[in-house]
Amino acid sequence: MAEPIGSSCLAVNGLVTGYDARNVLTGVSLSLNSGELVTVVGPNGHGKTTLLRAISGLLPVRKGSVSLNGRAISGLPAHRVAANGVIHVPQGDLLFAGMSVLENLLMGAYLDSDQVAVARRLDEVFSLLPKLAERRTQIAASLSGGERRMVGIGRGLMMKGSVMLIDEPSLGLAPIVIEQIYEVIARLKASGRTILLVEENPARVADIADRIHLLDNGAFVWSGEPAVLLQGDELLATYLGG
Amino acid sequence: MDIIGPVLVAGMTTGALYALATLGLSLVWGSLGMLNMAHGTLLTLGGYAAFTAASQLGWPVPVAVLAAAAVGGLIGALIFMLVAYPLSRRSPETFETTIMIATFGVALTLENIVLRLYGGQPLGQPLSVGGSISLGRFVLPWQNLVIIIAAIALMAATALFLARTKAGRAIRATAQNPDAAKLLGVPVARVYLQVLILSGILAGVCGVLVSSITQLSPSLGADPMLKAFIMCVVAGLGNLPGAIITSFALAIVEAVVQFLAGARWGFPALLAIVILVLIRRPGGLFGRVEMRRL
Ligand SMILES: Nc1ncnc2c1ncn2[C@@H]1O[C@H](COP(=O)(O)OP(=O)(O)O)[C@@H](O)[C@H]1O
Ligand SMILES: [Mg+2]
């Protein structure tokens, strides 16, 4: 299901952004090579969602830059960023509540006028998330939390893109459903997708992340491989405790 | 009884007109959060555009109706580009209030231009059909039939467009969740522009239909606009089928009250219904308080 992609996919450099007079992110840098799964972990309210919204153009970048496959995308409006190939599965799904599952998925293919390709991707989404095929005519508002999350991910997969941003896929779900969602994410990674994943809990992403960035108060306080993070109990303890 | 027929015909005719006016108002209100106070003025402009095309330029009837649609759509587009878009960019938080005041200003300006150009005296709309069909003792004037059919056809076309086309789906998606639509590549500002053009087209043709059973005057659209506002409030915002059903139902109630108690009781009866509905269901009959839906 992976799209053909170049090497260093997404690069964020010295990103500063925020709301009104306040900067939430005070200089964040990260980069993703193609096929990598990188995660940003941090407590509630420290700017994870803000980071993803700035990358995808929903929030203006105040300083620094974002580039995709070597092209600058910071400063573009969100719909142009999407057209450049950034897929953003937002926190809380943001589904079209009054539309059916199928219509939600088809909205994901809004930019694609090649009907054959759209039908093929729809098949791929249904084989990855068979539940959605069963529920295709159901109105999104009437789905369970786990099903809604799957529609959110499926809708993102209907887009053509070179990098996928996923914001707290575990939010508000029961542990067993979280496991199912993470199985899906693991399969996306295995199929070669480039993914920037945001979570609150480092233990949850340790198994699948190539690299982890710990976000604290608007800046990264630690970056490295998950194995190192989990060994450094002390670091983790201070971080989670503080 | 002989009077049931005429009362029903009157109710259905005004119902069709209210529904068409309501559809245009509700589309814009539900998707942009913009109460377009100039919506009635778009009806007026449509009526005068058709009048000018048909009786001053001598264009054939269908072309005159298209002219009304074009003028409505064009002014709708200009309202978005020159007023709504800049306002929403400058201060999105206060948009819902400022846009009401701004479009009220637009309405006053445009109505005064119409007054300057055409004068205040009522004019006859040449686009009307005479005669009637009688089914036994039941008499149905052609004009009423044309209005009912035209309004229903336009509403059905709009519903099909929204339900079945990609552009229509993008309009609904944007109304339900603009941020999500942007993330999928939908140029939301262009979608809003399309919504205002569509609303303007519906208003322009609606104005022609209204003037064909009344007369042309600069305040032609004021009453349908007021009624459309009432329908939106009673039905609940953003539920288009609900708004249309409400329009027909309340128009028939209004016609019955007017027949039984006298013409001046029609509007108080509508207001009483509004108050009763809002006491029992603050979100409207079909609406949910905080959710916009198309
Ligand atoms: N729309 C907004 N307006 C103003 N402040 C906001 C807005 N959204 C988030 N914030 C603030 O920005 C900070 C970071 O929020 P967020 O990025 O959502 O954190 P996280 O996703 O890590 O939980 C928080 O202090 C939050 O209150
Ligand atoms: Mg968040």
Side-chain angles (χ1 to χ4, degrees):
Chain A
M1 189 174 294
E3 306 290 338
I5 29 189
S7 63
S8 176
C9 223
L10 180 74
V12 175
N13 250 307
L15 183 100
V16 176
T17 189
Y19 307 91
D20 308 315
R22 187 168 74 99
N23 284 337
V24 171
L25 299 179
T26 54
V28 166
S29 302
L30 61 84
S31 77
L32 272 86
N33 295 322
S34 77
E36 272 186 325
L37 192 153
V38 172
T39 64
V40 173
V41 171
N44 222 338
H46 281 229
K48 305 182 297 295
T49 298
T50 301
L51 171 62
L52 297 193
R53 289 173 67 87
I55 292 173
S56 57
L58 283 178
L59 198 62
V61 170
R62 292 179 176 173
K63 265 195 215 132
S65 68
V66 181
S67 59
L68 185 73
N69 301 323
R71 259 192 303 174
I73 54 167
S74 35
L76 295 180
H79 71 274
R80 299 278 314 127
V81 173
N84 272 275
V86 173
I87 300 171
H88 184 161
V89 179
Q91 178 174 322
D93 308 316
L94 305 190
L95 299 186
F96 305 116
M99 289 186 179
S100 68
V101 168
L102 182 63
E103 280 198 303
N104 268 279
L105 294 177
L106 290 176
M107 276 309 298
Y110 175 81
L111 289 172
D112 200 340
S113 46
D114 177 355
Q115 290 312 307
V116 178
V118 171
R120 198 192 60 232
R121 279 209 301 286
L122 190 62
D123 282 344
E124 287 169 355
V125 167
F126 282 153
S127 70
L128 181 71
L129 304 160
K131 198 63 160 279
L132 298 190
E134 287 168 37
R135 298 261 186 263
R136 58 197 294 160
T137 58
Q138 198 168 323
I139 298 299
S142 68
L143 297 171
S144 73
E147 290 162 350
R148 279 207 285 267
R149 192 68 25 93
M150 288 179 196
V151 176
I153 293 171
R155 188 178 65 180
L157 293 173
M158 290 298 291
M159 287 176 80
K160 281 199 291 195
S162 40
V163 62
M164 195 164 181
L165 319 178
I166 309 180
D167 197 343
E168 283 207 57
S170 66
L171 188 72
L173 299 182
I176 182 161
V177 186
I178 294 176
E179 257 173 55
Q180 290 168 5
I181 296 291
Y182 267 88
E183 262 165 45
V184 171
I185 294 173
R187 285 179 63 181
L188 292 178
K189 184 191 175 185
S191 73
R193 284 203 175 250
T194 313
I195 298 171
L196 179 59
L197 173 70
V198 155
E199 269 296 358
E200 211 177 325
N201 181 352
R204 191 159 286 145
V205 296
D207 294 343
I208 51 167
D210 292 310
R211 262 172 296 124
I212 293 186
H213 299 281
L214 293 186
L215 180 69
D216 188 57
N217 250 321
F220 290 155
V221 290
W222 188 88
S223 301
E225 288 175 18
V228 183
L229 177 66
L230 293 182
Q231 281 161 11
D233 284 343
E234 220 174 298
L235 172 82
L236 202 55
T238 348
Y239 176 69
L240 291 175
Chain B
M1 287 222 300
D2 288 349
I3 47 92
I4 291 180
V7 171
L8 209 61
V9 169
M12 287 292 287
T13 310
T14 44
L17 294 171
Y18 291 171
L20 196 52
T22 303
L23 177 59
L25 187 73
S26 178
L27 261 174
V28 171
W29 201 359
S31 48
L32 285 80
M34 162 178 173
L35 177 54
N36 181 10
M37 299 295 285
H39 191 69
T41 309
L42 294 175
L43 267 73
T44 306
L45 294 177
Y48 278 92
F51 168 82
T52 306
S55 68
Q56 298 186 336
L57 304 174
W59 293 354
V61 172
V63 183
V65 175
L66 283 181
V71 167
L74 178 70
I75 304 294
L78 290 176
I79 289 176
F80 179 74
M81 292 190 290
L82 303 179
V83 182
Y85 184 70
L87 270 181
S88 71
R89 292 294 302 239
R90 190 154 313 163
S91 62
E93 317 79 35
T94 57
F95 177 72
E96 301 206 354
T97 315
T98 52
I99 193 62
M100 271 172 62
I101 299 166
T103 51
F104 190 63
V106 169
L108 288 178
T109 310
L110 291 175
E111 271 167 43
N112 275 294
I113 291 173
V114 170
L115 192 61
R116 273 294 186 84
L117 292 177
Y118 296 89
Q121 75 286 7
L123 301 168
Q125 177 64 274
L127 308 186
S128 45
V129 230
S132 56
I133 7 171
S134 32
L135 309 160
R137 309 175 68 175
F138 186 85
V139 178
L140 180 58
W142 275 113
Q143 188 59 43
N144 294 60
L145 193 62
V146 166
I147 288 173
I148 294 169
I149 290 173
I152 290 176
L154 271 176
M155 291 187 283
T158 306
L160 274 179
F161 167 71
L162 290 174
R164 297 284 163 82
T165 67
K166 190 172 180 180
R169 186 159 65 213
I171 289 176
R172 287 182 292 133
T174 304
Q176 289 173 24
N177 204 320
D179 273 355
K182 285 179 202 168
L183 291 179
L184 302 174
V186 178
V188 163
R190 207 164 74 204
V191 167
Y192 289 153
L193 175 64
Q194 289 166 1
V195 171
L196 267 137
I197 291 173
L198 175 60
S199 164
I201 290 172
L202 294 172
V205 179
C206 186
V208 179
L209 296 178
V210 171
S211 62
S212 74
I213 46 160
T214 56
Q215 273 178 320
L216 276 173
S217 73
S219 61
L220 171 78
D223 181 64
M225 163 82 197
L226 181 61
K227 301 292 166 54
F229 176 71
I230 289 176
M231 301 311 166
C232 284
V233 171
V234 170
L237 198 51
N239 184 313
L240 299 180
I244 288 168
I245 292 167
T246 305
S247 301
F248 277 101
L250 291 196
I252 290 171
V253 169
E254 187 187 26
V256 170
V257 170
Q258 283 176 337
F259 173 77
L260 294 176
R264 67 205 163 97
W265 290 105
F267 190 56
L270 288 188
L271 290 183
I273 292 174
V274 173
I275 292 166
L276 284 178
V277 166
L278 290 187
I279 288 172
R280 303 204 136 238
R281 300 194 53 143
L285 288 178
F286 304 91
R288 300 184 185 195
V289 177
E290 77 290 64
M291 203 161 94
R292 287 189 206 149
R293 267 189 177 204
L294 277 183

